[in-house]
Amino acid sequence: MEIKKINISDIGGFRIGNAQDYDAMTGVTAIVFDVPNTCGIDISGGGPAARESYLFTPLAAKQSVTALLLSGGSAYGLAASTGAMKYLEEKNMGFHLGNIVVPIVPQSCIFDLGIGSSKVRPDFQMGYDACVAAENNNPVSGSVGGGTGATVGKIRGMARSQKAGIGYAAFQVGELKMGAVVIVNALGDIFDWKNGEKIAGLLTEDRKSFVSLEEEMYKIQESIPHGMNTTIGAVITNGDFSQQEMTKIAYMTRAALGRSINPVGTGADGDTIYAISVGGVKSDVNIAGTLACRTLSEAIIDAVKSSRMNDADYLKLLSV
């Protein structure tokens, strides 16, 4: 059956909004869900900054995601979820207990404190504003929202790294639709999964050519500071799956990180993938997981290519 490229908004059931501070080079992306859903999660990096992630493991009772936040700010950025909860409470969205509503707001953050101002991070207002922006449902790729301060290839310092950001992709096979949103802030180099071409990562000192980050690791022979990198994202489908099956899909989607990023899943990364079902289309979990992997791989390319900056502008941001 033919694989057709679609827009991520064609899946339906959720809206995406962004808020950012370009002076501080940080931001928030909010994915607000309008329909009941089922979520699974895969955390493969050693340094995640996350909130409510346990709720989406197969051992926890099923919860529907009210909004998912992907942000900058490292653990400081988790404050943005409080603003999102306020917005959702005002809209009466969340888990209802009598006349009380409790929004379910998982969040994952990247470490972007090495670009722009490290003293300004996503906060209550930015989380609230990202949810307000989701009313317009405008998923924009590049240096925007949670991807505003994303960078890659930092093992030799920020001066030899490159800009990355947030990216999207979506495909349809038959009635099954699959979308992906990803913020690429990896320790490793980034590759086009279709041909193996390196498209971003560690540069030479004069920034004129690429250097293999893997080979550089072997030369350095030093421990890498933990928690300063991360690739976070979500795959969202109109397929009908259980929480256990969505976790399996998240696990399968991890292969997209392996085919697109090297090294990946290190102790210095907080790599996290959410997998969320918003529909009722019956499909095989293995087909869905394979399609999710392809979709996230394409979103990674979009995140890098849509975020490119010239050297002068980029290096200026590192000295703020």
Side-chain angles (χ1 to χ4, degrees), residues 43-218:
I43 302 175
S44 56
R51 177 184 187 275
E52 300 276 46
S53 53
Y54 176 79
L55 288 177
F56 309 107
T57 65
L59 297 177
K62 181 182 177 297
Q63 288 282 4
S64 187
V65 177
T66 316
L68 169 63
L69 297 192
L70 305 174
S71 83
S74 189
Y76 292 108
L78 292 170
S81 59
T82 310
M85 289 190 71
K86 177 63 175 173
Y87 170 89
L88 296 163
E89 182 186 26
E90 292 173 355
K91 300 294 183 182
N92 198 35
M93 297 173 67
F95 179 66
H96 288 81
L97 291 164
N99 62 350
I100 299 170
V101 62
V102 181
I104 306 300
V105 185
Q107 181 179 356
S108 288
C109 311
I110 65 166
F111 185 97
D112 58 1
L113 305 182
I115 183 171
S117 171
S118 64
K119 299 300 182 183
V120 178
R121 307 109 180 186
D123 56 10
F124 178 102
Q125 192 61 50
M126 197 176 283
Y128 189 97
D129 291 346
C131 290
V132 171
E135 294 173 5
N136 297 320
N137 195 20
N138 188 25
V140 180
S141 303
S143 294
V144 65
T148 300
T151 53
V152 294
K154 293 161 277 192
I155 196 171
R156 284 294 196 180
M158 293 295 291
R160 292 177 61 180
S161 66
Q162 284 190 297
K163 191 72 185 68
I166 190 169
Y168 298 88
F171 294 96
Q172 180 172 354
V173 178
E175 294 185 7
L176 181 68
K177 297 176 182 178
M178 186 71 66
V181 51
V182 66
I183 298 172
V184 180
N185 190 61
L187 171 73
D189 293 326
I190 314 301
F191 299 85
D192 184 326
W193 71 281
K194 296 184 294 294
N195 57 24
E197 177 190 358
K198 181 172 172 177
I199 57 175
L202 180 64
L203 296 172
T204 54
E205 290 185 15
D206 61 8
R207 298 185 60 84
K208 291 185 177 178
S209 58
F210 286 125
V211 175
S212 166
L213 193 141
E214 179 184 354
E215 295 301 321
E216 204 69 12
M217 281 179 67
Y218 302 146

